[in-house]
Amino acid sequence: MTRVTVRARFSPAPTGFLHVGGARTALFNWLFARHEGGTFVLRIEDTDPALSRDELIDGIQRTMRWLGIDWDEGPHRQSQRGEAYRSAATRLRETGNAYYCDCSRDDVQARTKGDSGYDGWCRDRGLTSGALRFRAPDEGETVVHDLIRGDVTFDHATIEDFVIERTDGTAVFLLANAVDDMDMAMTHVIRGEDLLASTPKVLLIRGALGDTQPPLYAHLPLIVNEKRQKLSKRRDDVAVEEYRERGFLPEAMRNYLALLGWSPADDREIVPIEEMVAEFRIEDVKPSPAFFDVKKLEAINGEYIRALPVATFVRESLPWLETDPPWPPECFDLAVFEAVAPFVQERARTLAEVPSLVDFLFLEEPVVDEAAWDKSIGRSPSAEALLDGALAAYRDCHWDTEELHRVTAALADRNGLKLAKAQAPIRVAITGRSVGPPLFESLHVLGRERTLTRLRRAKDRLSSSS
RNA sequence: GGCCCCAUCGUCUAGUGGCCGAGGACACCACCCUCUCAAGGUGGCGACACGGGUUCGAAUCCCGUUGGGGCUGCCA
């Protein structure tokens, strides 16, 4: 008994950086192949010379590696397989399954009668050059067996004679796709639903080429925007690389992507990749479109950030702290950041948020949120007394977190305020904001001198404005 | 226009004829915890598009309607 090994592939057209839809398709193919113990192939569909650029192809591979999606074979490049497509095209022509057509775009338009497209005018003109068209059968039907949608039937009367080879002799994707999937012995074709309508054409080509064992198909639901349209490069934020730059972790991105159309058992959502591989079944993928919800991505990213060992969090944050920081680069102090890292880690939903949570530590003067200043100092009747009190108390107390907490609580007491209220003006004076890491830890790492200086400056500003 | 796909809370989903007066998560609201914020805890809001069937019984099966989407290129 022969056991056929599963072979799946991700075959993107390098139209730019890898987008979230492509990444999800790659991920599902990868999960499927790994679950089945099969082979995962990467194939670049660059039959259009405009797309056959190394930098675009490198970008796709870089992003896949970042996501942890590795491949066993490839990348194969369709731009380098012209010979195979040419010989297939020749065979199709010789067997009467394809013919040359010299109709211009306008001619085709004029010859499109009714609802079934181009009427096949050139079928019997005996041309010896032009674009090569596949002679689609006029009767019968082709059934696509889809693992997610069941059988999908296409009436041949609705399939026009379509171009498989351009006038310049290069193959269009339908031909390349059919030939490659046959040559590369793909057993499963998992791709976006937008390709479902072209599947019967590929099947027809394969049949004409003598194929007797078509692959099993699975057309994944599209990922859509808030208007429920297919994600578009123009309107939507689709580049995975961009999410990376916005501070998302690859594990979080991958986890979120997996949740679009598929779901792990037992109401779990944060799932280690090994468990996904163990559980993933292509038949369980839902057929309906899914909205790409950045809010949820952020929530998941936050969970992954919090789960990181502190040292890893520090290391992962470095690029955001060292590249275009909001402070003079020479003022950054890794030891200081490490001291507050545990508190920052719990508050950041993306790594890109990290700098704004610690900027007051590396800036000569904090960036003041005017609304916060106004609320906690400008219009606060007790602000002056609290700033004075803090100045006095911090001047010679022990400089550690517990002591700062204690003397500030006492100060609040003396002013008849809850600590929560009393710390507000101090926080704004020191950090410039009303939110951030715990105050006493912040003061502790900031140091006595800078704390006192900032309190004095806040006092000066307050008195000069009143 | 034609062909095709899809249809459970705002969003992602669980649900495959009775366990569903529909469960979880994100978002939102309230409360608790608390030095702010976050995290965490508790509770709340909130959905089976509609109409026919089939069945003792339907979110689950069938048909239709409506709505949304994809494709319709010598792009992929």
Side-chain angles (χ1 to χ4, degrees):
Chain A
M1 191 168 148
T2 55
R3 184 192 170 87
V4 180
T5 324
V6 158
R7 287 174 61 81
R9 88 298 200 278
F10 172 50
S11 49
T15 55
F17 291 113
L18 186 63
H19 58 92
V20 295
R24 201 271 307 254
T25 299
L27 177 62
F28 279 26
N29 270 289
W30 182 88
L31 284 170
F32 173 75
R34 291 290 172 265
H35 176 83
E36 298 291 335
T39 303
F40 178 52
V41 180
L42 174 60
R43 184 175 77 213
I44 305 296
E45 307 227 328
D46 57 350
T47 56
D48 181 341
L51 304 181
S52 189
R53 287 159 50 195
D54 289 348
E55 96 209 49
L56 295 176
I57 292 158
D58 289 345
I60 288 171
Q61 296 184 71
R62 186 173 64 244
T63 304
M64 284 178 70
R65 285 194 202 97
W66 178 69
L67 284 169
I69 301 173
D70 56 347
W71 52 96
D72 309 305
E73 219 181 276
H76 296 295
R77 281 240 226 163
Q78 292 191 327
S79 58
Q80 292 168 352
R81 288 180 40 78
E83 204 51 55
Y85 310 143
R86 254 188 303 284
S87 86
T90 301
R91 247 192 307 151
L92 289 171
R93 189 157 42 77
E94 288 173 352
T95 54
N97 287 109
Y99 60 89
Y100 282 117
C101 166
D102 62 359
C103 291
S104 66
R105 204 189 159 92
D106 288 342
D107 293 336
V108 172
Q109 190 77 289
R111 302 212 154 268
T112 294
K113 297 169 183 156
D115 300 317
S116 51
Y118 177 65
D119 67 356
W121 189 62
C122 295
R123 276 187 176 185
D124 304 309
R125 289 176 65 209
L127 265 28
T128 53
S129 67
L132 196 62
R133 276 183 191 278
F134 184 81
R135 187 178 190 120
D138 301 320
E139 295 174 348
E141 55 189 34
T142 287
V143 178
V144 177
H145 301 289
D146 192 286
L147 262 14
I148 295 172
R149 289 152 215 284
D151 286 356
V152 182
T153 304
F154 294 84
D155 191 327
H156 290 165
T158 67
I159 299 175
E160 64 183 324
D161 288 357
F162 51 93
V163 172
I164 55 176
E165 193 180 79
R166 305 184 183 92
T167 301
D168 67 5
T170 58
V172 303
F173 93 102
L174 290 166
L175 211 216
N177 200 279
V179 171
D180 281 352
D181 283 343
M182 288 176 77
D183 286 357
M184 298 176 190
M186 305 314 307
T187 61
H188 296 260
V189 173
I190 301 171
R191 27 132 72 151
E193 196 211 308
D194 50 345
L195 291 165
L196 178 54
S198 72
T199 305
K201 293 179 180 174
V202 172
L203 252 16
L204 251 15
I205 294 173
R206 292 182 61 126
L209 250 18
D211 174 43
T212 54
Q213 200 162 39
L216 256 21
Y217 285 91
H219 287 92
L220 306 174
L222 259 22
I223 296 179
V224 300
N225 62 21
E226 62 287 342
K227 287 157 74 180
R228 304 247 116 214
Q229 295 166 320
K230 178 167 83 162
L231 250 31
S232 140
K233 206 152 292 189
R234 299 203 50 159
R235 307 181 287 262
D236 311 304
D237 293 333
V238 297
V240 173
E241 191 74 12
E242 189 185 311
Y243 285 93
R244 175 186 190 171
E245 287 162 10
R246 282 164 59 181
F248 289 94
L249 300 176
E251 296 79 8
M253 189 68 176
R254 190 171 61 192
N255 196 146
Y256 176 65
L257 250 17
L259 261 21
L260 260 24
W262 179 75
S263 64
D266 305 321
D267 289 329
R268 289 171 304 145
E269 292 202 318
I270 306 295
V271 183
I273 195 68
E274 307 76 39
E275 290 178 28
M276 285 190 199
V277 169
E279 286 182 47
F280 188 83
R281 298 196 322 152
I282 195 70
E283 298 86 351
D284 293 336
V285 174
K286 270 188 40 137
S288 49
F291 169 63
F292 189 84
D293 188 354
V294 181
K295 279 277 199 301
K296 180 130 184 176
L297 207 209
E298 285 174 348
I300 290 175
N301 201 55
E303 295 221 34
Y304 272 90
I305 285 179
R306 269 174 261 130
L308 252 27
V310 181
T312 306
F313 170 69
V314 169
R315 193 183 67 232
E316 294 297 320
S317 296
L318 285 180
W320 278 268
L321 299 168
E322 293 170 342
T323 309
D324 293 325
W327 49 77
E330 66 273 16
C331 294
F332 179 71
D333 184 335
L334 182 57
V336 167
F337 177 67
E338 285 175 326
V340 294
F343 309 109
V344 175
Q345 180 174 7
E346 194 162 296
R347 290 164 175 74
R349 287 162 80 84
T350 67
L351 295 175
E353 293 171 2
V354 171
S356 69
L357 287 164
V358 297
D359 60 357
F360 71 95
L361 290 168
F362 308 118
L363 245 18
E364 181 56 33
E365 290 191 54
V367 178
V368 178
D369 172 346
E370 292 304 329
W373 171 278
D374 197 46
K375 182 171 188 293
S376 300
I377 299 180
R379 290 190 288 107
S380 167
S382 52
E384 187 167 16
L386 288 164
L387 292 175
D388 277 333
L391 226 23
Y394 295 167
R395 191 146 22 226
D396 50 18
C397 71
H398 269 296
W399 203 254
D400 64 57
T401 305
E402 293 71 27
E403 185 67 359
L404 285 164
H405 190 157
R406 205 184 59 73
V407 301
T408 308
L411 171 63
D413 232 36
R414 267 179 271 127
N415 285 272
L417 295 169
K418 294 255 191 198
L419 180 52
K421 275 285 186 190
Q423 60 87 43
I426 300 172
R427 176 183 296 280
V428 173
I430 303 303
T431 72
R433 306 171 198 273
S434 58
V435 302
L439 182 61
F440 308 122
E441 279 80 356
S442 297
L443 298 182
H444 182 233
V445 298
L446 221 211
R448 191 198 305 271
E449 288 315 310
R450 296 169 78 190
T451 296
L452 295 178
T453 301
R454 289 181 190 194
L455 287 170
R456 270 187 228 106
R457 281 186 187 146
K459 248 203 72 184
D460 290 347
R461 175 177 168 183
L462 180 59
S463 50
S464 69
S465 67
S466 58

